[in-house]
Amino acid sequence: MINKVVAANWKMNKTAAEAQIWASGLIESLDEIPSDVQVIVAAPAIYLRELGQKFRDQPRVKIAAQNCHHEQKGAYTGEISPSMLRSVGVDYCIIGHSERRSMFLETNELISLKVKACLEVNLTPIVCVGETLAERESGYHYGVITEQITAALTFANPEKPIIIAYEPVWAIGTGISATNEQAAEMHALILGLLAQYNFTNTPVLYGGSCNDGNAAALFSMPGISGGLVGTAALNIRSFVRITQSFS
Ligand code: 13P
């Protein structure tokens, strides 16, 4: 089981040249990254194949897509399927990121189908869950996370690996991360839900303004297996420092 993970989510950032510079920087920095840390790079789909080839001989670096369709093939113009991602060497796929839930109207039901489609072809889903500020302020954050996790696991199976990322929506891209205690509380809730469904070895990552200044404190909290990092992962030096933040 992997229990120290740092995943970069580039979102819709970087030209092809910038992607290459970042990837070369990561290869040059691999000696500085602790050997027990799994690094995952979630890049725009157009770069995945080339990145996969670049990291072919680096088992500690895995490539992730940021989204996929819930069918393996068909008349879905503009979409990319889990089996296509597998065919170009992609091992992970972010599913249900809050930006996709809010801007692309992805529902818990659709996300459960995407998880199913990923698992069918052994593409490990990194399922994002998280509450909005309004949901937290109304005290419904426990309920939201419970619904999101329950839906995500509908077609999952403890035999097939899956990663969960707790990303409070109010912490994403705001510079205001959850406190260590807030994060630990929600991770404990998620781990309890996972255990109910017999998922006992599932890493739960924290995401939302995680950076090289707060990662060490967050990663030292019980139940936090690492981070899913947006803004602070765009710079290779700060990303490498985050990979060094486990105690
Ligand atoms: P930031 O690190 O920019 O807050 O983004 C987090 C995120 O959404 C990762 O998926």
Side-chain angles (χ1 to χ4, degrees), residues 7-11 94 97-99 128 165 167-168 171-176 206-211 228-233:
N9 178 6
W10 289 359
K11 308 191 180 183
I94 296 177
H97 191 280
S98 74
E99 287 148 16
C128 299
E167 300 205 304
I172 294 176
T174 59
I176 302 167
Y206 170 79
S209 297
C210 179
N211 58 44
L228 178 55
V229 188
T231 313

Side-chain angles (χ1 to χ4, degrees), residues 45-102:
I46 194 168
Y47 306 139
L48 291 173
R49 186 187 183 121
E50 210 173 333
L51 288 173
Q53 284 166 356
K54 189 141 184 151
F55 293 109
R56 197 177 31 212
D57 301 325
Q58 313 292 348
R60 279 195 289 143
V61 181
K62 299 288 186 192
I63 306 302
Q66 298 174 7
N67 177 40
C68 66
H69 196 265
H70 63 282
E71 299 283 354
Q72 304 298 354
K73 62 179 180 177
Y76 302 102
T77 301
E79 292 292 307
I80 296 175
S81 77
S83 58
M84 291 174 183
L85 293 169
R86 289 299 286 147
S87 75
V88 296
V90 176
D91 288 312
Y92 292 87
C93 186
I94 296 177
I95 298 291
H97 191 280
S98 74
E99 287 148 16
R100 296 212 58 87
R101 291 180 189 258
S102 65

Side-chain angles (χ1 to χ4, degrees), residues 14-48:
K14 297 195 183 295
T15 62
E18 289 165 348
Q20 281 299 331
I21 291 170
W22 191 99
S24 298
L26 179 57
I27 289 183
E28 284 160 21
S29 311
L30 279 175
D31 288 351
E32 300 171 49
I33 297 178
S35 58
D36 57 347
V37 174
Q38 177 73 64
V39 172
I40 301 175
V41 185
I46 194 168
Y47 306 139
L48 291 173

